[in-house]
Amino acid sequence: MAYQAILFDLDGTLIDHYQATSDAVAHWSILAGAEPDVERWFELENRWFTAYEQGELSIQEQRRVRVREYLQQPRVSDETADSMFQEFISVYFDHIQPYADALSALEQALVTGAKVGILTNGTKEIQQQKLQRAGLNLPGVELLASSDLGFSKPDPRCYQAALERLGVEASGTIMVGDNYANDVQGAVACGLTARHLDRRRGQTLDHYPPRAPELVVCDMDGTLLDPRGKIPADFISVVERMNELDVTFVPASGRQHHTLSLMFPYADTLIAENGNVLVHNGEVIHSTTLDPAFVRMIIDAARANPERAGLVLCTPGTAYIEDGSPEFLAEVEKYYASRTLVGSFDDIDAPCVKIALFAFDGSESYPLPDLGPDHVGTISSEHWIDIMDARVNKGSALEKLQEVMGVSKDRTAAFGDCLNDLEMIWEAELSFAMDNAHPVLASAAKWRAPSNAKHGVITALRGLL
């Protein structure tokens, strides 16, 4: 299924609302007999326009209160406030400029054959004038203003009304915008795929919809797997489509490669052990080894720590454990198909690529010993911490794989939800954080997909492919 519709936000996405407002405030304040204070104007705009979005004030009421508070004239009549705001809008229109990439992004979106809309909070009349002044009033691009739809972003009813107006499904629609709450969280909550465009970080509008990737790298738990830890049944149809297009699918996980091979018998390229083992064409092409003295230090520290934890010593051949308790074994079985229970870690004489620590009371609160500058403890889930070489992660493994396969970052898609996916996200131009992702990962990724419970990876890939 190709994307049926592409939605863009307007202010801060297609037009430079910040610069136009800053210029307008500087000119209008002098006309109104006030000292220009751009930051105060934005503070009031954010506060009272948000009140309008939440249905607490009408569009006209929020304009009046902004004028009164900015000019510190609480007794100004409605008529005078309306007139003064209209003067401000006139100056604002004189300073409106589109972002340099806005016109080409809209034109490229139209060429795809998808329906193209601009979903914006505000009155249709004002937003239409903005488009005209910015030269973005293109045939085939439908303006979907909140005043016309009856609801404002991020209200789900606003998105639903926009989808109904265009006659498209949420799963076949992408939303691009600069406001994280309105344009990203609101969209994803309704089943859309969303791109957070952060202009403050220099991000630009890419081609929409993005080109199909050549390489798809995907985390497991919290990302592809559903809340029961199962691969969605309809994922196989996406795999078949990737095979048709010669797209390589790569499971990327803290799991060992034996486990991943059993889960994905059709995948001969794997990133295992959080990047410590890289498999390509069915062969291990890269693995790391921890210093035995460091491994011994971690074992001794875990044994001495009053907070209970279970260790897994991960080697290329098997995973060694010495805690045989049922609750620990139940967790280990999920990730390590090849495992060996030993009486003591002291009996092991095999190269260790990674140490996985299961913190029974939670990974974020577990007190790790000083790992030094050469090693790192990466939180991979609510209870698991992967202790490994600081130079190694899913991102470093992906970088090696891209080099081997001759695939660039802009033709790579990566999906993740937790902090151990962060470096992997950085190595892919098509970076997706799940709706259930850790906040740090969500801010690093360009795109947001619906949660793993809603099979967001499948939704996003069907659109991309």
Side-chain angles (χ1 to χ4, degrees):
M1 178 187 69
Y3 284 119
Q4 301 170 357
I6 305 168
L7 298 176
F8 295 90
D9 172 56
L10 180 57
D11 297 307
T13 300
L14 297 175
I15 65 170
D16 192 344
H17 175 70
Y18 180 85
Q19 191 59 55
T21 301
S22 299
D23 293 341
V25 168
H27 287 74
W28 174 78
S29 298
I30 296 172
L31 295 175
E35 187 71 25
D37 190 342
V38 173
E39 293 309 313
R40 174 166 167 74
W41 178 269
F42 277 114
E43 176 191 337
L44 294 171
E45 178 184 79
N46 180 63
R47 183 196 312 167
W48 295 114
F49 197 78
T50 299
Y52 157 70
E53 291 174 332
Q54 295 174 347
E56 298 171 7
L57 296 174
S58 69
I59 190 72
Q60 201 67 14
E61 287 170 339
Q62 65 87 21
R63 290 172 177 172
R64 291 166 180 165
V65 72
R66 281 160 60 187
V67 168
R68 288 169 178 144
E69 289 200 14
Y70 180 77
L71 298 178
Q72 299 181 359
Q73 297 180 22
R75 291 185 174 83
V76 165
S77 67
D78 289 350
E79 292 78 10
T80 299
D82 292 344
S83 176
M84 298 184 80
F85 192 87
Q86 193 56 50
E87 290 175 358
F88 167 77
I89 286 294
S90 296
V91 179
Y92 172 84
F93 282 153
D94 289 339
H95 291 87
I96 283 180
Q97 292 290 332
Y99 284 105
D101 50 17
L103 181 59
S104 61
L106 290 175
E107 290 174 337
Q108 289 169 353
L110 287 168
V111 168
T112 67
K115 294 185 178 180
V116 181
I118 296 174
L119 182 57
T120 175
N121 287 349
T123 63
K124 187 169 186 176
E125 178 187 2
I126 293 292
Q127 303 302 71
Q128 188 71 61
Q129 290 184 57
K130 291 180 183 179
L131 289 174
Q132 291 172 345
R133 291 295 185 101
L136 301 177
N137 192 29
L138 303 183
V141 177
E142 183 162 355
L143 177 61
L144 303 163
S146 61
S147 64
D148 221 23
L149 298 174
F151 306 99
S152 299
K153 296 178 296 182
D155 191 319
R157 293 171 294 181
C158 178
Y159 281 97
Q160 190 58 46
L163 296 174
E164 291 175 359
R165 184 74 61 88
L166 295 176
V168 296
E169 300 174 0
S171 60
T173 304
I174 59 176
M175 175 72 196
V176 183
D178 71 302
N179 187 301
Y180 191 74
N182 287 355
D183 303 322
V184 179
Q185 290 181 313
V188 172
C190 294
L192 287 76
T193 301
R195 159 81 198 277
H196 183 213
L197 179 69
D198 194 342
R199 294 285 191 183
R200 295 169 301 177
R201 292 165 59 188
Q203 293 182 358
T204 58
L205 282 164
D206 302 317
H207 184 278
Y208 294 100
R211 291 188 298 169
E214 297 176 4
L215 184 63
V216 174
V217 187
C218 190
D219 172 56
M220 296 294 104
D221 296 280
T223 301
L224 175 61
L225 305 186
D226 66 23
R228 299 174 299 137
K230 304 296 183 182
I231 302 171
D234 51 349
F235 182 64
I236 191 63
S237 65
V238 178
V239 171
E240 291 169 351
R241 180 60 176 156
M242 285 191 279
N243 290 338
E244 291 173 5
L245 298 175
D246 200 25
V247 176
T248 301
F249 171 69
V250 183
S253 174
R255 289 171 165 83
Q256 64 182 182
H257 73 275
H258 298 290
T259 304
L260 293 176
S261 295
L262 290 173
M263 294 174 67
F264 303 94
Y266 43 79
D268 63 2
T269 300
L270 310 164
I271 294 175
E273 306 284 14
N274 272 334
N276 286 280
V277 175
L278 178 60
V279 177
H280 183 49
N281 292 333
E283 301 290 334
V284 175
I285 63 170
H286 179 77
S287 65
T288 58
T289 302
L290 294 176
D291 186 312
F294 175 78
V295 175
R296 168 53 54 192
M297 184 273 288
I298 295 298
I299 293 171
D300 292 342
R303 287 172 174 171
N305 197 316
E307 290 200 26
R308 187 183 174 194
L311 292 183
V312 181
L313 302 191
C314 306
T315 73
T318 189
Y320 291 100
I321 58 174
E322 66 175 9
D323 182 346
S325 63
E327 60 267 39
F328 182 58
L329 284 175
E331 294 298 329
V332 172
E333 288 171 357
K334 296 178 185 178
Y335 306 99
Y336 300 95
S338 176
R339 56 190 180 275
T340 303
L341 178 63
V342 296
S344 171
F345 286 139
D346 300 336
D347 302 330
I348 298 173
D349 183 21
C352 184
V353 300
K354 182 192 77 175
I355 302 172
L357 182 149
F358 183 82
F360 283 84
D361 294 330
S363 54
E364 296 211 12
S365 62
Y366 185 83
L368 287 172
D370 182 7
L371 303 180
D374 298 328
H375 300 90
V376 65
T378 301
I379 293 174
S380 56
S381 74
E382 184 180 354
H383 291 280
W384 284 101
I385 302 173
D386 281 347
I387 301 171
M388 46 200 257
D389 189 316
R391 299 166 297 178
V392 179
N393 48 64
K394 290 181 183 179
S396 64
L398 175 54
E399 194 173 12
K400 288 184 177 68
L401 183 60
Q402 289 167 330
E403 182 179 353
V404 169
M405 296 182 64
V407 178
S408 60
K409 289 177 66 171
D410 66 340
R411 300 308 299 274
T412 302
F415 294 82
D417 76 301
C418 204
L419 295 179
N420 64 327
D421 302 319
L422 188 59
E423 293 87 357
M424 179 178 76
I425 288 293
W426 291 340
E427 294 302 322
E429 191 67 24
L430 292 169
S431 54
F432 289 82
M434 310 308 291
D435 190 34
N436 50 284
H438 190 286
V440 173
L441 188 85
S443 66
K446 279 190 173 183
W447 290 86
R448 286 296 293 274
S451 70
N452 66 317
K454 294 182 179 180
H455 301 176
V457 171
I458 294 176
T459 297
L461 284 178
R462 281 179 171 164
L464 286 174
L465 301 174

